[in-house]
Amino acid sequence: MTVFLFDIDGTLLLTGGAGRVAMQQAMRDVYQLTDLPQLDVLGRTDFAIIRDLFEAHNLEHTTESHAAFCHVYHQYLAASITECEGQLMPGVVQLLQRLRGHDDVSIGLLTGNCQAAADIKLNHFELHGYFEFGGFGDWHAERNAVAEFAYEQCVEFHGKHVPPEDVWVIGDTIHDIRCARSIGARVIAVATGGMSFQQLAAEKPDLALANLTDQELFLQTVTTR
């Protein structure tokens, strides 16, 4: 069996800035703050981004305050994603359909998004039905911890040991490459997000692609390793 763990933002889709819009609206409603500082979001988890947002405004970041903020944020995200001009990445639907057609393939998620945010994005773009399990950024600050959680969910879902070398992570940042290596997985990097092909290739993934339209090379790579 071969397992594929997909990142969401920049790999499967772009939301057109819906997440930032929703966070700004949530900060306004919850804390009456209109300034949303420029934060490093590329390849990071929602937990880490929201923690940094709180720290930038000298707000106490607790389990309770985090959960309360996320509740409002997700409500706004569901609205903003319909208003912002997002898009699916090239080749995504075709690739997922081809992978789903194989009996020995399992498809999951490895994303920095909170699970609720992931559901909103995938449902909007009609992708939710392709994924069986996943690792999410609800309570993990580090991407490697999300990767470990995603791998544990994979094993639990299948009810048996899954060799790490049979797991492929597909993502658009060096963080996806590094977290894949942290669990012993293989990795395909796609230059459809915030990092260039050269930046990704320098991190030595098993395969680097401009996008997911070159599915023959994708499938050839995962079947010959």
Side-chain angles (χ1 to χ4, degrees), residues 23 26 56 70 81 91 94 96 109-110 112 120 122 131 134 140 150 152 165 176 183-185 199-201 214 218:
M23 281 197 180
C70 284
I81 200 168
Q94 296 88 340
L96 291 173
L109 295 165
L110 197 172
I120 290 167
L122 295 177
F131 304 100
H140 298 292
E152 291 171 358
E165 60 269 21
D176 296 296
I183 59 171
Q199 287 175 301
L200 296 171
D214 195 348
F218 183 107

Side-chain angles (χ1 to χ4, degrees), residues 63-142:
T63 300
E64 292 75 19
S65 65
H66 182 90
F69 177 82
C70 284
H71 177 71
V72 179
Y73 163 57
H74 295 147
Q75 290 180 323
Y76 277 117
L77 180 61
S80 65
I81 200 168
T82 66
E83 299 165 357
C84 296
E85 295 184 4
Q87 61 180 310
L88 285 171
M89 294 292 93
V92 163
V93 173
Q94 296 88 340
L95 177 60
L96 291 173
Q97 289 175 340
R98 292 185 71 170
L99 293 177
R100 188 169 64 175
H102 293 267
D103 293 335
D104 58 346
V105 162
S106 181
I107 309 174
L109 295 165
L110 197 172
T111 174
N113 282 278
C114 296
Q115 187 168 356
D119 288 344
I120 290 167
K121 294 176 183 182
L122 295 177
N123 282 325
H124 177 74
F125 288 97
E126 300 182 350
L127 294 180
H128 200 279
Y130 290 103
F131 304 100
E132 301 168 298
F133 57 88
F136 305 92
D138 292 77
W139 300 108
H140 298 292
E142 299 301 327

Side-chain angles (χ1 to χ4, degrees), residues 27-40:
M27 286 298 290
R28 179 198 64 204
D29 279 15
V30 178
Y31 293 107
Q32 293 74 55
L33 293 168
T34 57
D35 176 40
L36 193 63
Q38 291 293 331
L39 299 174
D40 179 17

Side-chain angles (χ1 to χ4, degrees), residues 178-200:
R178 292 172 182 175
C179 79
R181 299 306 189 205
S182 74
I183 59 171
R186 305 184 194 276
V187 57
I188 294 175
V190 287
T192 48
M195 293 189 173
S196 68
F197 182 91
Q198 291 74 20
Q199 287 175 301
L200 296 171

Side-chain angles (χ1 to χ4, degrees), residues 140-186:
H140 298 292
E142 299 301 327
R143 192 81 176 196
N144 287 5
V146 180
E148 182 64 31
F149 180 69
Y151 180 68
E152 291 171 358
Q153 292 299 300
C154 172
V155 172
E156 182 177 327
F157 177 82
H158 292 288
K160 63 179 181 180
H161 176 67
V162 179
E165 60 269 21
D166 292 339
V167 177
W168 290 81
V169 174
I170 299 90
D172 67 295
T173 74
I174 61 174
H175 305 292
D176 296 296
I177 299 171
R178 292 172 182 175
C179 79
R181 299 306 189 205
S182 74
I183 59 171
R186 305 184 194 276

